[in-house]
Each structure stands twice: as C-alpha cells, then as structure tokens.
Amino acid sequence: MKRITKIAAFISSLAICAGVSACGSTRSGFEQTGGTQKLEKGATIGISMPTKSEERWNKDGNNLKNKLEKAGYKVVLNYADDKPAQQNADIENMVNQNAKILVVASKDGSAVGPAVEKARDAGATVIAYDRLIMNTDAVDYYATFQLEQVGKLEAEYLVDQLGLNDGEKGPFNMELFTGSPDDNNAKYFFKGAWDILQPYFEKGVLVCPSNHGGGVTKDFTVDDWQKISVQSWKTEQAQKDMESILDSTYASGKKLDAVLTPYDGIAQGVINAIESKRPDMKPGTESWPPITGQDAMEIAVSNIAAGKQGETVFKNVDELADAVYDMIIEIAEGKKVTGINGEFNNNNVDVPSKLLDPQNITVENLDDLVKAKYLTQERFDKLTKGEAIR
C-alpha cells in the first residue's frame, strides 16, 4: 500500500511539473523560448574589478558597464580595493541581487573561488576577466590577452636595445621584476620573457649582479618567479626594491644596462628609484637603461616620450570589453559562445578562453594609442609634452 502511495505521489508530481513550463528548466531572470533559455532585458549582470587604484581597471569596468547598460541590462559594478575578502563579499552581494552573469577580474585568483562557487550554485554563468580564477570548476569562460606574448614582447625589446641579435656579447647587467605573487597572469608574463632571456643568461651575455630574490642566474626557472615579484603590482614596493638593489649593487657607479618589468606601475617605481639614487644616470643617454612595461598607462606615455621608459605592451581594454560583451550577449541569447581560441587550466578544469593579441608600443609608434582611440589627441599631446597627468 505504501508503494502504491509513493507511485501515486510521483505521478502527481510529474503532472504538476507538466502543468508549468519546463519544471526546473528555467531560472529566475531567464525566459524560455523554443527550448533555449534567454536572459531577460533588465536582468542583472555583475562586474567585479580588483581595485580602483590602477588606471586600467577603471577603464575596463566602465567600458563594459556602459555597453551592457546600453543593451538594456542592469549592471552592478564593484571594486574590491585590493582586498580579496571585499571581492568575495561583493560577489556574494551580486548573487543576492540575482545576477545571472558574473564578470570577475580577481584580486587573488585562488581566494575568489568560494564566492564564484556560490554564484555557480545560484545558477549564474561566471566569466574570468583578464585574470584566471584558480582551483575551482565554477568558471565557465576566460577572456584575456595572449599572456606569454606580453612577456615575449618586453624581452625582445631589451634584446634588440642591447644589440644581442647583432652579436653583442656584453656581459650586460640586467635587473628583473615580476608581477604580484597572487596574480596567476604574472607567471605567464614572466614565462614569455624568460624563454627569450634565459639562453643569454646561460651564455653569460646577460647577468644579474644583485642578489634580488636570491639572485637571478641561468638556473633560475619560471617556477621561481615569485622570488622577484612585486606585491599587488605596487609602484611604491617596486621603488623600495629597486632602491635596495641600487644601494647594494650599483652605488659605486656600476652600469645598469636594462630592467625587465612587467607593468608600467612597476616601471615607474624603478624610474623613481634611479632618479633618487643615481642622479648621474640621464634619460636619453647611454647611462639610462631601457625599461619595459605593460598597460599603456598615461604615466608610461609620458615616460616613453621623455626617454625614461623604453616600451609598454598595449592591451587594448576597449577590445577586451568588446570581446566580453559579445560573450555575454551570446550567453544571454542562449547562443554558443564564439571566438574561443584557447584554454587555460586553473588546476581543476580547462577553461575555454578567448585570447586577444597585445601590441608593443615604443616612441616610434606611440601615436598608435590615439589611432586606437585609447587616448584623445588632446590628452596625448599633453602627456607627451610632459604636462602633469591627473
């Protein structure tokens, strides 16, 4: 009798399920159309950025927010103030506001895992923006630039400036920095650069005379990258580290031939340190080392024009915002996401990835930033004339 009662209850539940549209097949914020779930106009999309203290994240967040709002969606945009706990709280708050798609540029790729898992459990699609979210399967897509190519462009610039392709033997004194130890991208930037530079260290053409990070030698590996990292990519920390290097190794007038840095903010710290500790080194002369960077920050534009920084790798965040916008719209319309041209393993899963090409910017093609509409001509002129930047 009990079995008959259970069967009857099961049949009853099936009937109830049939009486509503696709019981359990839709989520709040989505509408069912011809077997495809589509995100309703006015639905909430969350964007979590790591900090407002760095110029690029303000551009990234606002670019994407403006495009999505024009498309008819409600957008919650938060900045985590460089605090992983704050970012987790922001993401959980977005879930509570029924965000159905989350775009996350993580401050700490591992620490943000629990928050995006809650988002996944609530039915949201998670897109890792420029920085991969690690150690979780709650990441649906990843959008960034060709990460190793960034480091490759930086290293190739230094090789060219030192004349290594033309047979110069040196030895040349080089100091090296990597990005924040909590940013998974930093390892890939360094790998791209080290693949180019390590053979020259092997031959003794390049040497790192300081003991920074325990010393960079031919036996240094990509897995050692955190030994020479700059926490949170901070200019102040890079300046402190470089001042220590100059005091310990270059105070007696030893020549500094080149500096590899992965980011414009770190390059600025290096520049500050050189100007403070070695006023005898003058930009635009052989006494000043070529210094690399990334992100085409306004300060980098000024520094390149003034001969203080040799190059920056331009990652057009407008293009990245466009790529992620296209991804979001395809998800919202229930379509297959297009443009996937790679995958990155986050220690749990291979995340389908959309990878864009970066561009090397030097004084010779600095105005490409205007052509790309990254900077207005007016702003570019002010920066390159050495006028104060905001």
Side-chain angles (χ1 to χ4, degrees), residues 28-329:
S28 175
F30 283 83
E31 59 184 3
Q32 186 82 14
T33 305
T36 300
Q37 288 187 358
K38 295 184 177 181
L39 193 63
E40 299 169 349
K41 293 293 184 179
T44 299
I45 296 173
I47 303 173
S48 176
M49 292 285 155
T51 181
K52 292 193 78 169
S53 66
E54 295 176 27
E55 178 185 314
R56 68 149 299 186
W57 298 116
N58 293 282
K59 287 187 176 182
D60 284 84
N62 288 317
N63 284 347
L64 193 52
K65 181 176 185 288
N66 292 337
K67 291 176 70 67
L68 290 169
E69 286 180 340
K70 288 179 181 178
Y73 297 103
K74 177 183 177 182
V75 178
V76 178
L77 170 61
N78 292 137
Y79 292 86
D81 195 28
D82 279 320
K83 299 172 183 175
Q86 180 62 53
Q87 187 161 47
N88 283 2
D90 290 342
I91 293 170
E92 291 181 17
N93 184 53
M94 292 173 188
V95 173
N96 292 336
Q97 294 183 64
N98 201 32
K100 290 305 175 186
I101 299 175
L102 285 181
V103 178
V104 180
S106 58
K107 162 57 187 169
D108 184 323
S110 296
V112 80
V116 297
E117 285 167 7
K118 289 182 180 179
R120 183 269 317 276
D121 293 344
T125 299
V126 177
I127 301 171
Y129 187 99
D130 203 40
R131 294 176 173 179
L132 187 57
I133 300 170
M134 304 299 294
N135 306 318
T136 178
D137 59 1
V139 188
D140 296 283
Y141 300 100
Y142 179 35
T144 188
F145 291 82
Q146 300 278 3
L147 302 181
E148 291 185 27
Q149 182 67 12
V150 172
K152 184 172 181 283
L153 290 172
E154 292 168 347
E156 287 177 341
Y157 173 80
L158 296 180
V159 166
D160 178 68
Q161 291 298 299
L162 295 174
L164 304 191
N165 287 330
D166 297 327
E168 292 289 340
K169 300 299 182 183
F172 296 102
N173 298 324
M174 177 181 289
E175 298 298 328
L176 303 89
F177 294 84
T178 60
S180 188
D182 55 11
D183 186 345
N184 185 64
N185 284 11
K187 177 180 180 179
Y188 290 100
F189 298 147
F190 180 66
K191 183 181 185 306
W194 194 236
D195 284 348
I196 300 293
L197 298 176
Q198 194 276 338
Y200 292 105
F201 276 84
E202 185 81 35
K203 297 172 185 175
V205 176
L206 293 177
V207 296
C208 180
S210 77
N211 197 41
H212 177 50
V216 177
T217 70
K218 64 181 177 61
D219 298 318
F220 200 81
T221 72
V222 172
D223 290 336
D224 293 323
W225 71 274
Q226 291 178 324
K227 294 179 181 179
I228 54 173
S229 63
V230 178
Q231 181 65 46
S232 298
W233 305 84
K234 290 295 186 181
T235 298
E236 298 79 8
Q237 184 61 53
Q239 180 174 344
K240 181 179 178 181
D241 292 346
M242 190 66 199
E243 287 178 346
S244 177
I245 290 169
L246 291 170
D247 283 341
S248 64
T249 307
Y250 296 89
S252 61
K254 183 188 290 288
K255 192 172 190 305
L256 174 61
D257 294 297
V259 184
L260 174 77
T261 95
Y263 165 61
D264 295 337
I266 295 176
Q268 182 61 48
V270 169
I271 292 167
N272 292 344
I274 294 174
E275 291 180 328
S276 171
K277 296 292 183 177
R278 288 290 302 271
D280 59 303
M281 295 167 61
K282 303 296 183 183
T285 71
E286 289 188 0
S287 66
W288 191 268
I291 301 170
T292 61
Q294 174 186 180
D295 279 350
M297 292 174 63
E298 291 193 347
I299 189 63
V301 175
S302 290
N303 284 337
I304 291 172
K308 296 181 179 182
Q309 183 172 328
E311 65 86 60
T312 185
V313 178
F314 176 41
K315 302 187 305 182
N316 192 334
V317 295
D318 292 341
E319 291 182 358
L320 184 59
D322 287 346
V324 174
Y325 171 79
D326 291 342
M327 186 181 288
I328 290 171
I329 295 302

Side-chain angles (χ1 to χ4, degrees), residues 7-25:
I7 293 173
F10 176 69
I11 293 172
S12 176
S13 69
L14 288 178
I16 292 171
C17 198
V20 297
S21 67
C23 180
S25 65

